């Protein structure tokens, strides 16, 4: 490679490295705004503001969903397996909403630290499997639980 | 290696070699993607959670992959334009930028269609979706900047700089789902781990991905050939090509 080209290439690489550092620092500084939602631990630690429209996200705790039989009101707990936050919502939940599934909710944290949601979005994970496999997995999990064994994660 | 690289710099040589590859790229690309699409849409099993709606993955993932790969290729071509001043590299950038726009739009659109039944929303301003939208604007910027100068060389240089600067967005798109909380799920395919879906789902998906890469190769060569003819229209080889091409067309037309 001739020296002029080599110099040009070096300049480009240096510029790109500098740019990457700049963008990296900027996104790091804005990470709280880039995060779509607060997780329950952040809410429990008081990082999330009260009475401001925010998003909270995590897993719907198993056995925590309580539906009001006369209306669309529903209450459930969202957990990240460290802390949990109670969410109240009135409206139609997305089809994928279920205990043990992820959700992202928009709403406000009231003074009792209960999250009053205006919108509930379902978040699914990156795992896909046929229904039969999922059924078989559930069955073997149940059997393992009966025998008191720990199931390895799929 | 270097000889091949320098040959690439000749628009005439490239025009010929592209023409030789094109039928193969088109044939293999169509075959792979059609097989993958039919297999994925009709024969692959349902998902236990999303049912049939996950099947849009067979279009969403290939277009999103390709939209990012094309941008990286454009950035590499931009470096070649600036350092080696190779005309063909600039031809590549200008020819495939509109293809990148279409791919990004398709990825965003299929994502929205998929988002409504699964998440409950067409659009959310999370890091993955927003950075993908920025990719769309980068592509549009490359096209717009290319038309902003009357001098081809100035245009080539400015477009190359924009393409190189914009490449920092690519790792942001890729790792957005790992670095920040997003509604978009993390990647199913990782280089170091097994895919988190069974083979009867990922094999057809892989076929479509490979097929779309080949089809992209075809359309890139096709558009580059057109652009080379436009730029070299005053050279002798293009005139001869047009003359002989015209004659052979007359012959087939007469028979």
């Amino acid at each position: 490679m001739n020296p002029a080209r080599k110099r040009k290439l070096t300049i480009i690489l240096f510029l790109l490295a500098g740019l990457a550092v700049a963008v990296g620092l900027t996104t790091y500084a804005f990470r709280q705004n880039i995060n779509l939602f607060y997780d329950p631990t952040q809410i429990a630690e008081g990082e999330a503001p009260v009475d401001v429209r925010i998003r909270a996200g995590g897993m719907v705790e198993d056995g925590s969903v309580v539906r009001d039989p006369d209306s669309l009101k529903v209450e459930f707990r969202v957990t990240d397996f460290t802390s949990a936050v109670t969410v109240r919502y009135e409206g139609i939940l997305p089809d994928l909403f279920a205990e043990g599934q992820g959700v992202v909710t928009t709403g406000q944290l009231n003074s009792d630290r209960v999250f009053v949601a205006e919108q509930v979005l379902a978040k699914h994970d990156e795992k896909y499997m046929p229904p039969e496999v999922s059924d078989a997995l559930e069955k073997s999990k149940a059997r393992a639980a009966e025998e008191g064994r720990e199931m390895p994660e799929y | 290696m270097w000889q091949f690289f320098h040959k690439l710099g000749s628009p005439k040589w490239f025009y010929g070699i592209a023409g030789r590859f094109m039928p193969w790229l088109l044939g293999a690309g169509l075959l792979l993607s059609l097989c993958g699409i039919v297999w994925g849409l009709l024969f692959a099993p349902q998902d236990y959670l999303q049912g049939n709606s996950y099947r849009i993955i067979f279009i969403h993932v290939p277009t999103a992959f390709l939209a990012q790969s094309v941008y990286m290729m454009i950035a590499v071509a931009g470096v070649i334009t600036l350092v080696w001043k190779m005309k063909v590299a600039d031809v590549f950038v200008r020819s495939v930028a509109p293809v990148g726009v279409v791919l990004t739009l398709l990825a965003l659109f299929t994502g929205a269609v998929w988002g409504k039944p699964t998440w409950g929303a067409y659009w959310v301003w999370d890091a993955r979706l927003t950075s993908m939208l920025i990719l769309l604007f980068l592509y549009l910027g490359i096209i717009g900047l290319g038309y902003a100068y009357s001098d081809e060389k100035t245009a080539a240089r400015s477009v190359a700089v924009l393409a190189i600067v914009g490449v920092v967005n690519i790792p942001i798109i890729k790792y957005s789902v790992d670095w920040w909380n997003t509604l978009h799920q993390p990647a199913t395919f990782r280089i170091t781990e097994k895919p988190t879906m069974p083979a009867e789902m990922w094999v057809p998906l892989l076929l479509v991905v490979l097929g779309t890469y080949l089809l992209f190769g075809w359309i890139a060569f096709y558009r580059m050939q057109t652009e080379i003819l436009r730029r070299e229209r005053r050279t002798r080889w293009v005139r001869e090509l047009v003359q002989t091409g015209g004659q052979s067309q007359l012959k087939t037309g007469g028979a």
Side-chain angles (χ1 to χ4, degrees), chain A residues 72-105:
Chain A
L72 287 172
K73 280 185 188 136
V74 58
E75 196 177 295
F76 52 90
R77 289 172 69 74
V78 169
T79 175
D80 59 358
F81 306 111
T82 317
S83 322
V85 61
T86 304
V87 177
R88 264 183 222 140
Y89 177 66
E90 185 171 1
I92 297 166
L93 291 161
D95 289 351
L96 254 58
F97 179 90
E99 288 174 1
Q101 286 295 326
V103 284
V104 174
T105 61

mmCIF file of all heavy atoms in Angstrom, chain A residues 72-105:
data_model
loop_
_atom_site.group_PDB
_atom_site.id
_atom_site.type_symbol
_atom_site.label_atom_id
_atom_site.label_comp_id
_atom_site.label_asym_id
_atom_site.label_seq_id
_atom_site.Cartn_x
_atom_site.Cartn_y
_atom_site.Cartn_z
ATOM 1 N N LEU A 72 -63.258 -5.048 34.069
ATOM 2 C CA LEU A 72 -61.995 -5.416 33.426
ATOM 3 C C LEU A 72 -60.805 -5.119 34.325
ATOM 4 O O LEU A 72 -59.666 -5.136 33.876
ATOM 5 C CB LEU A 72 -61.864 -4.653 32.105
ATOM 6 C CG LEU A 72 -62.786 -5.136 30.973
ATOM 7 C CD1 LEU A 72 -62.715 -4.181 29.791
ATOM 8 C CD2 LEU A 72 -62.391 -6.540 30.525
ATOM 9 N N LYS A 73 -61.095 -4.805 35.589
ATOM 10 C CA LYS A 73 -59.992 -4.486 36.497
ATOM 11 C C LYS A 73 -59.164 -5.732 36.789
ATOM 12 O O LYS A 73 -59.714 -6.822 36.975
ATOM 13 C CB LYS A 73 -60.535 -3.921 37.796
ATOM 14 C CG LYS A 73 -60.908 -2.465 37.683
ATOM 15 C CD LYS A 73 -61.331 -1.918 39.028
ATOM 16 C CE LYS A 73 -61.896 -0.525 38.862
ATOM 17 N NZ LYS A 73 -63.122 -0.320 39.630
ATOM 18 N N VAL A 74 -57.870 -5.553 36.821
ATOM 19 C CA VAL A 74 -56.993 -6.674 37.107
ATOM 20 C C VAL A 74 -55.804 -6.169 37.916
ATOM 21 O O VAL A 74 -55.403 -5.016 37.785
ATOM 22 C CB VAL A 74 -56.558 -7.377 35.791
ATOM 23 C CG1 VAL A 74 -55.856 -6.415 34.873
ATOM 24 C CG2 VAL A 74 -55.691 -8.581 36.059
ATOM 25 N N GLU A 75 -55.322 -7.017 38.803
ATOM 26 C CA GLU A 75 -54.163 -6.650 39.605
ATOM 27 C C GLU A 75 -53.162 -7.801 39.533
ATOM 28 O O GLU A 75 -53.555 -8.966 39.598
ATOM 29 C CB GLU A 75 -54.594 -6.402 41.054
ATOM 30 C CG GLU A 75 -53.561 -5.665 41.864
ATOM 31 C CD GLU A 75 -54.039 -5.360 43.268
ATOM 32 O OE1 GLU A 75 -55.005 -4.584 43.425
ATOM 33 O OE2 GLU A 75 -53.468 -5.926 44.209
ATOM 34 N N PHE A 76 -51.916 -7.469 39.357
ATOM 35 C CA PHE A 76 -50.896 -8.525 39.334
ATOM 36 C C PHE A 76 -49.577 -7.948 39.834
ATOM 37 O O PHE A 76 -49.433 -6.737 39.975
ATOM 38 C CB PHE A 76 -50.743 -9.123 37.931
ATOM 39 C CG PHE A 76 -50.520 -8.112 36.839
ATOM 40 C CD1 PHE A 76 -49.227 -7.728 36.492
ATOM 41 C CD2 PHE A 76 -51.592 -7.562 36.164
ATOM 42 C CE1 PHE A 76 -49.024 -6.801 35.479
ATOM 43 C CE2 PHE A 76 -51.387 -6.625 35.158
ATOM 44 C CZ PHE A 76 -50.102 -6.245 34.816
ATOM 45 N N ARG A 77 -48.651 -8.845 40.111
ATOM 46 C CA ARG A 77 -47.337 -8.398 40.558
ATOM 47 C C ARG A 77 -46.311 -8.654 39.458
ATOM 48 O O ARG A 77 -46.318 -9.700 38.820
ATOM 49 C CB ARG A 77 -46.946 -9.124 41.844
ATOM 50 C CG ARG A 77 -47.762 -8.656 43.043
ATOM 51 C CD ARG A 77 -47.514 -9.511 44.259
ATOM 52 N NE ARG A 77 -46.164 -9.343 44.794
ATOM 53 C CZ ARG A 77 -45.772 -8.250 45.474
ATOM 54 N NH1 ARG A 77 -46.583 -7.240 45.656
ATOM 55 N NH2 ARG A 77 -44.546 -8.192 45.948
ATOM 56 N N VAL A 78 -45.459 -7.657 39.243
ATOM 57 C CA VAL A 78 -44.392 -7.783 38.246
ATOM 58 C C VAL A 78 -43.087 -7.930 39.003
ATOM 59 O O VAL A 78 -42.788 -7.146 39.897
ATOM 60 C CB VAL A 78 -44.361 -6.549 37.324
ATOM 61 C CG1 VAL A 78 -43.106 -6.550 36.470
ATOM 62 C CG2 VAL A 78 -45.585 -6.529 36.433
ATOM 63 N N THR A 79 -42.320 -8.966 38.637
ATOM 64 C CA THR A 79 -41.114 -9.269 39.394
ATOM 65 C C THR A 79 -39.896 -9.381 38.487
ATOM 66 O O THR A 79 -40.033 -9.671 37.295
ATOM 67 C CB THR A 79 -41.304 -10.584 40.186
ATOM 68 O OG1 THR A 79 -40.084 -10.911 40.820
ATOM 69 C CG2 THR A 79 -41.699 -11.730 39.263
ATOM 70 N N ASP A 80 -38.737 -9.119 39.023
ATOM 71 C CA ASP A 80 -37.504 -9.466 38.309
ATOM 72 C C ASP A 80 -36.725 -10.494 39.133
ATOM 73 O O ASP A 80 -35.512 -10.618 39.008
ATOM 74 C CB ASP A 80 -36.653 -8.227 38.006
ATOM 75 C CG ASP A 80 -36.263 -7.469 39.259
ATOM 76 O OD1 ASP A 80 -36.673 -7.876 40.353
ATOM 77 O OD2 ASP A 80 -35.533 -6.461 39.132
ATOM 78 N N PHE A 81 -37.449 -11.193 39.999
ATOM 79 C CA PHE A 81 -36.921 -12.258 40.867
ATOM 80 C C PHE A 81 -36.033 -11.721 41.969
ATOM 81 O O PHE A 81 -35.409 -12.474 42.692
ATOM 82 C CB PHE A 81 -36.205 -13.352 40.056
ATOM 83 C CG PHE A 81 -37.077 -13.905 38.973
ATOM 84 C CD1 PHE A 81 -36.790 -13.667 37.632
ATOM 85 C CD2 PHE A 81 -38.229 -14.633 39.278
ATOM 86 C CE1 PHE A 81 -37.618 -14.142 36.628
ATOM 87 C CE2 PHE A 81 -39.057 -15.109 38.278
ATOM 88 C CZ PHE A 81 -38.751 -14.863 36.959
ATOM 89 N N THR A 82 -35.947 -10.384 42.107
ATOM 90 C CA THR A 82 -35.268 -9.790 43.250
ATOM 91 C C THR A 82 -36.309 -9.014 44.051
ATOM 92 O O THR A 82 -36.459 -9.205 45.249
ATOM 93 C CB THR A 82 -34.151 -8.826 42.799
ATOM 94 O OG1 THR A 82 -33.444 -9.441 41.734
ATOM 95 C CG2 THR A 82 -33.201 -8.524 43.925
ATOM 96 N N SER A 83 -37.026 -8.129 43.350
ATOM 97 C CA SER A 83 -38.109 -7.381 43.974
ATOM 98 C C SER A 83 -39.344 -7.524 43.091
ATOM 99 O O SER A 83 -39.254 -8.012 41.977
ATOM 100 C CB SER A 83 -37.773 -5.903 44.084
ATOM 101 O OG SER A 83 -36.435 -5.733 44.394
ATOM 102 N N ALA A 84 -40.492 -7.062 43.619
ATOM 103 C CA ALA A 84 -41.714 -7.104 42.824
ATOM 104 C C ALA A 84 -42.496 -5.829 43.063
ATOM 105 O O ALA A 84 -42.342 -5.172 44.097
ATOM 106 C CB ALA A 84 -42.550 -8.315 43.199
ATOM 107 N N VAL A 85 -43.314 -5.445 42.090
ATOM 108 C CA VAL A 85 -44.156 -4.269 42.236
ATOM 109 C C VAL A 85 -45.582 -4.659 41.848
ATOM 110 O O VAL A 85 -45.782 -5.453 40.936
ATOM 111 C CB VAL A 85 -43.611 -3.080 41.400
ATOM 112 C CG1 VAL A 85 -43.573 -3.430 39.926
ATOM 113 C CG2 VAL A 85 -44.444 -1.826 41.611
ATOM 114 N N THR A 86 -46.569 -4.127 42.602
ATOM 115 C CA THR A 86 -47.968 -4.433 42.306
ATOM 116 C C THR A 86 -48.459 -3.491 41.215
ATOM 117 O O THR A 86 -48.210 -2.291 41.269
ATOM 118 C CB THR A 86 -48.819 -4.254 43.572
ATOM 119 O OG1 THR A 86 -48.257 -5.070 44.594
ATOM 120 C CG2 THR A 86 -50.260 -4.667 43.330
ATOM 121 N N VAL A 87 -49.134 -4.055 40.213
ATOM 122 C CA VAL A 87 -49.640 -3.268 39.097
ATOM 123 C C VAL A 87 -51.159 -3.384 39.067
ATOM 124 O O VAL A 87 -51.702 -4.482 39.200
ATOM 125 C CB VAL A 87 -49.052 -3.754 37.748
ATOM 126 C CG1 VAL A 87 -49.646 -2.987 36.587
ATOM 127 C CG2 VAL A 87 -47.543 -3.640 37.743
ATOM 128 N N ARG A 88 -51.836 -2.231 38.918
ATOM 129 C CA ARG A 88 -53.280 -2.226 38.735
ATOM 130 C C ARG A 88 -53.588 -1.754 37.336
ATOM 131 O O ARG A 88 -52.971 -0.806 36.847
ATOM 132 C CB ARG A 88 -53.947 -1.281 39.754
ATOM 133 C CG ARG A 88 -54.440 -2.031 40.968
ATOM 134 C CD ARG A 88 -55.161 -1.113 41.928
ATOM 135 N NE ARG A 88 -54.739 -1.456 43.272
ATOM 136 C CZ ARG A 88 -54.485 -0.578 44.228
ATOM 137 N NH1 ARG A 88 -54.609 0.718 43.978
ATOM 138 N NH2 ARG A 88 -54.133 -0.978 45.410
ATOM 139 N N TYR A 89 -54.552 -2.405 36.697
ATOM 140 C CA TYR A 89 -54.855 -2.059 35.314
ATOM 141 C C TYR A 89 -56.321 -2.298 35.063
ATOM 142 O O TYR A 89 -56.927 -3.207 35.646
ATOM 143 C CB TYR A 89 -54.003 -2.920 34.378
ATOM 144 C CG TYR A 89 -54.266 -2.719 32.904
ATOM 145 C CD1 TYR A 89 -53.975 -1.506 32.282
ATOM 146 C CD2 TYR A 89 -54.803 -3.744 32.128
ATOM 147 C CE1 TYR A 89 -54.211 -1.324 30.927
ATOM 148 C CE2 TYR A 89 -55.032 -3.569 30.774
ATOM 149 C CZ TYR A 89 -54.737 -2.354 30.181
ATOM 150 O OH TYR A 89 -54.975 -2.180 28.854
ATOM 151 N N GLU A 90 -56.897 -1.469 34.207
ATOM 152 C CA GLU A 90 -58.277 -1.703 33.803
ATOM 153 C C GLU A 90 -58.321 -1.639 32.289
ATOM 154 O O GLU A 90 -58.043 -0.601 31.694
ATOM 155 C CB GLU A 90 -59.210 -0.639 34.407
ATOM 156 C CG GLU A 90 -60.659 -0.943 34.086
ATOM 157 C CD GLU A 90 -61.640 -0.041 34.831
ATOM 158 O OE1 GLU A 90 -61.181 0.841 35.586
ATOM 159 O OE2 GLU A 90 -62.841 -0.235 34.665
ATOM 160 N N GLY A 91 -58.661 -2.758 31.667
ATOM 161 C CA GLY A 91 -58.704 -2.781 30.211
ATOM 162 C C GLY A 91 -58.436 -4.178 29.705
ATOM 163 O O GLY A 91 -58.324 -5.129 30.472
ATOM 164 N N ILE A 92 -58.330 -4.267 28.370
ATOM 165 C CA ILE A 92 -58.116 -5.569 27.753
ATOM 166 C C ILE A 92 -56.625 -5.855 27.702
ATOM 167 O O ILE A 92 -55.834 -5.027 27.239
ATOM 168 C CB ILE A 92 -58.736 -5.596 26.342
ATOM 169 C CG1 ILE A 92 -60.248 -5.397 26.461
ATOM 170 C CG2 ILE A 92 -58.434 -6.910 25.643
ATOM 171 C CD1 ILE A 92 -60.910 -5.074 25.154
ATOM 172 N N LEU A 93 -56.252 -7.009 28.198
ATOM 173 C CA LEU A 93 -54.840 -7.388 28.202
ATOM 174 C C LEU A 93 -54.477 -8.043 26.873
ATOM 175 O O LEU A 93 -55.317 -8.667 26.239
ATOM 176 C CB LEU A 93 -54.594 -8.374 29.346
ATOM 177 C CG LEU A 93 -54.705 -7.768 30.741
ATOM 178 C CD1 LEU A 93 -54.903 -8.850 31.781
ATOM 179 C CD2 LEU A 93 -53.470 -6.949 31.061
ATOM 180 N N PRO A 94 -53.224 -7.892 26.418
ATOM 181 C CA PRO A 94 -52.834 -8.555 25.164
ATOM 182 C C PRO A 94 -52.920 -10.080 25.290
ATOM 183 O O PRO A 94 -52.862 -10.628 26.390
ATOM 184 C CB PRO A 94 -51.400 -8.093 24.944
ATOM 185 C CG PRO A 94 -50.942 -7.518 26.223
ATOM 186 C CD PRO A 94 -52.137 -7.090 26.985
ATOM 187 N N ASP A 95 -53.085 -10.751 24.127
ATOM 188 C CA ASP A 95 -53.273 -12.209 24.125
ATOM 189 C C ASP A 95 -52.135 -12.947 24.820
ATOM 190 O O ASP A 95 -52.337 -13.994 25.418
ATOM 191 C CB ASP A 95 -53.355 -12.722 22.681
ATOM 192 C CG ASP A 95 -54.655 -12.303 22.030
ATOM 193 O OD1 ASP A 95 -55.525 -11.784 22.763
ATOM 194 O OD2 ASP A 95 -54.797 -12.489 20.813
ATOM 195 N N LEU A 96 -50.929 -12.412 24.684
ATOM 196 C CA LEU A 96 -49.772 -13.123 25.221
ATOM 197 C C LEU A 96 -49.589 -12.905 26.715
ATOM 198 O O LEU A 96 -48.679 -13.473 27.314
ATOM 199 C CB LEU A 96 -48.503 -12.677 24.478
ATOM 200 C CG LEU A 96 -47.951 -13.695 23.487
ATOM 201 C CD1 LEU A 96 -48.980 -14.046 22.432
ATOM 202 C CD2 LEU A 96 -46.714 -13.158 22.824
ATOM 203 N N PHE A 97 -50.469 -12.064 27.311
ATOM 204 C CA PHE A 97 -50.343 -11.814 28.742
ATOM 205 C C PHE A 97 -50.634 -13.099 29.502
ATOM 206 O O PHE A 97 -51.668 -13.733 29.313
ATOM 207 C CB PHE A 97 -51.333 -10.721 29.174
ATOM 208 C CG PHE A 97 -51.280 -10.424 30.654
ATOM 209 C CD1 PHE A 97 -50.432 -9.457 31.145
ATOM 210 C CD2 PHE A 97 -52.059 -11.137 31.546
ATOM 211 C CE1 PHE A 97 -50.369 -9.193 32.497
ATOM 212 C CE2 PHE A 97 -52.009 -10.881 32.908
ATOM 213 C CZ PHE A 97 -51.157 -9.904 33.379
ATOM 214 N N ALA A 98 -49.719 -13.525 30.352
ATOM 215 C CA ALA A 98 -49.935 -14.722 31.160
ATOM 216 C C ALA A 98 -48.964 -14.698 32.322
ATOM 217 O O ALA A 98 -47.947 -13.979 32.270
ATOM 218 C CB ALA A 98 -49.725 -15.984 30.328
ATOM 219 N N GLU A 99 -49.273 -15.463 33.348
ATOM 220 C CA GLU A 99 -48.348 -15.568 34.469
ATOM 221 C C GLU A 99 -47.058 -16.218 33.980
ATOM 222 O O GLU A 99 -47.094 -17.176 33.227
ATOM 223 C CB GLU A 99 -48.983 -16.402 35.584
ATOM 224 C CG GLU A 99 -50.085 -15.628 36.281
ATOM 225 C CD GLU A 99 -50.852 -16.452 37.300
ATOM 226 O OE1 GLU A 99 -50.518 -17.629 37.487
ATOM 227 O OE2 GLU A 99 -51.801 -15.902 37.893
ATOM 228 N N GLY A 100 -45.939 -15.685 34.410
ATOM 229 C CA GLY A 100 -44.652 -16.219 33.974
ATOM 230 C C GLY A 100 -44.156 -15.601 32.676
ATOM 231 O O GLY A 100 -43.072 -15.925 32.219
ATOM 232 N N GLN A 101 -44.965 -14.694 32.054
ATOM 233 C CA GLN A 101 -44.535 -14.032 30.826
ATOM 234 C C GLN A 101 -44.100 -12.600 31.138
ATOM 235 O O GLN A 101 -44.503 -12.040 32.154
ATOM 236 C CB GLN A 101 -45.681 -14.002 29.815
ATOM 237 C CG GLN A 101 -45.967 -15.349 29.172
ATOM 238 C CD GLN A 101 -44.804 -15.819 28.313
ATOM 239 O OE1 GLN A 101 -44.116 -15.007 27.702
ATOM 240 N NE2 GLN A 101 -44.580 -17.119 28.266
ATOM 241 N N GLY A 102 -43.329 -12.026 30.220
ATOM 242 C CA GLY A 102 -42.865 -10.664 30.435
ATOM 243 C C GLY A 102 -43.916 -9.634 30.047
ATOM 244 O O GLY A 102 -44.727 -9.874 29.165
ATOM 245 N N VAL A 103 -43.906 -8.476 30.726
ATOM 246 C CA VAL A 103 -44.781 -7.367 30.340
ATOM 247 C C VAL A 103 -44.017 -6.053 30.474
ATOM 248 O O VAL A 103 -43.047 -5.957 31.219
ATOM 249 C CB VAL A 103 -46.053 -7.244 31.223
ATOM 250 C CG1 VAL A 103 -47.072 -8.299 30.873
ATOM 251 C CG2 VAL A 103 -45.708 -7.268 32.697
ATOM 252 N N VAL A 104 -44.468 -5.067 29.710
ATOM 253 C CA VAL A 104 -44.004 -3.693 29.889
ATOM 254 C C VAL A 104 -45.253 -2.852 30.063
ATOM 255 O O VAL A 104 -46.142 -2.880 29.210
ATOM 256 C CB VAL A 104 -43.190 -3.206 28.672
ATOM 257 C CG1 VAL A 104 -42.847 -1.734 28.830
ATOM 258 C CG2 VAL A 104 -41.929 -4.019 28.519
ATOM 259 N N THR A 105 -45.367 -2.142 31.181
ATOM 260 C CA THR A 105 -46.577 -1.379 31.449
ATOM 261 C C THR A 105 -46.249 0.098 31.522
ATOM 262 O O THR A 105 -45.173 0.481 31.989
ATOM 263 C CB THR A 105 -47.204 -1.796 32.795
ATOM 264 O OG1 THR A 105 -46.258 -1.520 33.825
ATOM 265 C CG2 THR A 105 -47.542 -3.274 32.813
#
